[in-house]
Amino acid sequence: MKQEYLEFAKDIAYKAGEIMIKYFKGDNEASYKFDQTIVTKADTEINKYLIKRVKEAFPTHSVDGEEEQFGKSDYVWVCDPVDGTAMYARHIPVAVFSLALVVDGSSTIGVVYDPFTNSMYSAIKGQGAYKNGEKIRVNDIALDDMKSVSNFDMWPEAEYNLYDSIKELGKKTYFIGIGSVIRACMCVANGDFNLAIFPGTKHKNCDIAAAKVIVEEAGGKVTDLFGNEQRYDTDINGAIISNGHVHDEVVAVLKTSLKGN
């Protein structure tokens, strides 16, 4: 059954990619939501398509999409239709589609699709992680290695202020922000980055659910900002996504920096 779920997720992902490409160069009808984040025609169309397909294939399952939700179940399809919307709305090809099947709070199936490079990242819990059918693995690079590259996301309204943490960790690793935390997570899974830090909380399970299973099946580690496991069918407490080797060091810095939060 897990393989059936994975093939279903991949099928949705490829369709989502078609929709993303369709609106990418033209008018994507970008607008601002109540929280001042951007939404496009692709976001809403993909989310509606996912709900339609889940209702048809798995009517007892529910959908927790970033733009729209459906039902209530222990089997939840958690989706970010377009992660990196700000870049996508400006016709910069960074955004990806993300979908996870979360069972009783645990990510068991994950797919992330980059339609601009036709890259499909996928994992079934306990069965390894893959990119276009080829097995992928995190790197073993330490933070203070000259090859260390890390990603961080931050915005003024974020519940956790990561600036002090980034300043401290930045003494060892080279930080960048590529405009999509999920794309950055795939860089960790594929061994290009060794770390990504994300301060998102409310409804940000949509950003990390698929990355959780893909990165960990690639040999990495994904926790909240304090090194704890968390559920992915509800709000999260931020996320550290790493190659595993640097995880404890990062947790120690964040715990110190975030004491006042």
Side-chain angles (χ1 to χ4, degrees):
M1 194 65 181
K2 287 183 178 179
Q3 191 62 41
E4 181 184 346
Y5 289 146
L6 179 63
E7 294 308 317
F8 174 80
K10 284 182 176 181
D11 189 50
I12 299 291
Y14 283 124
K15 178 63 177 179
E18 290 178 13
I19 295 170
M20 289 171 69
I21 295 298
K22 179 174 69 172
Y23 293 115
F24 179 66
K25 291 184 178 179
D27 180 10
N28 50 45
E29 299 182 26
S31 61
Y32 287 93
K33 296 188 285 188
F34 69 93
D35 61 358
Q36 299 306 302
T37 58
I38 297 175
V39 64
T40 70
K41 178 69 172 173
D43 291 88
T44 54
E45 189 169 313
I46 291 167
N47 209 138
K48 288 183 183 301
Y49 176 75
L50 171 64
I51 290 174
K52 175 179 177 291
R53 290 290 305 276
V54 170
K55 282 181 176 179
E56 292 170 351
F58 309 110
T60 61
H61 293 191
S62 58
V63 172
D64 184 4
E66 188 166 81
E67 310 307 330
E68 188 178 349
Q69 298 77 46
F70 158 73
K72 189 168 180 60
S73 168
D74 289 335
Y75 283 69
V76 189
W77 292 92
V78 179
C79 176
D80 192 337
V82 181
D83 184 63
T85 314
M87 303 292 269
Y88 178 82
R90 291 165 175 81
H91 315 289
I92 301 170
V94 173
V96 295
F97 167 83
S98 174
L99 179 62
L101 177 59
V102 176
V103 181
D104 293 328
S106 176
S107 293
T108 59
I109 307 286
V111 300
V112 169
Y113 184 54
D114 173 1
F116 304 107
T117 61
N118 191 28
S119 298
M120 176 70 76
Y121 301 86
S122 64
I124 296 174
K125 193 171 185 178
Q127 297 185 28
Y130 298 84
K131 175 185 176 183
N132 293 341
E134 298 290 326
K135 202 158 190 176
I136 55 175
R137 189 79 186 168
V138 297
N139 64 42
D140 59 359
I141 297 172
L143 279 182
D144 58 0
D145 190 303
M146 66 177 295
K147 293 179 287 187
S148 176
V149 179
S150 303
N151 188 90
F152 82 99
D153 287 71
M154 193 62 217
W155 53 93
E157 298 81 11
E159 184 175 343
Y160 292 103
N161 184 340
L162 296 180
Y163 290 121
D164 287 344
S165 303
I166 300 305
K167 185 177 180 180
E168 182 64 28
L169 290 166
K171 295 174 183 177
K172 294 184 175 182
T173 184
Y174 178 61
F175 270 110
I176 60 173
I178 64 174
S180 163
V181 66
I182 299 175
R183 184 66 186 85
C185 290
M186 296 306 99
C187 289
V188 174
N190 200 42
D192 299 316
F193 294 180
N194 53 353
L195 172 68
I197 305 177
F198 182 63
T201 52
K202 187 171 178 57
H203 205 206
K204 294 301 184 178
N205 56 311
C206 295
D207 294 78
I208 307 298
K212 167 70 173 177
V213 62
I214 295 172
V215 171
E216 293 199 338
E217 286 301 313
K221 190 170 184 178
V222 180
T223 68
D224 74 4
L225 291 174
F226 302 93
N228 304 310
E229 291 296 325
Q230 56 188 341
R231 297 181 68 95
Y232 291 93
D233 55 359
T234 187
D235 296 346
I236 60 171
N237 204 24
I240 301 170
I241 305 96
S242 84
N243 62 5
H245 301 281
V246 306
H247 210 89
D248 290 345
E249 184 178 358
V250 175
V251 168
V253 171
L254 264 66
K255 279 184 174 180
T256 300
S257 298
L258 297 176
K259 268 182 183 176
N261 277 254

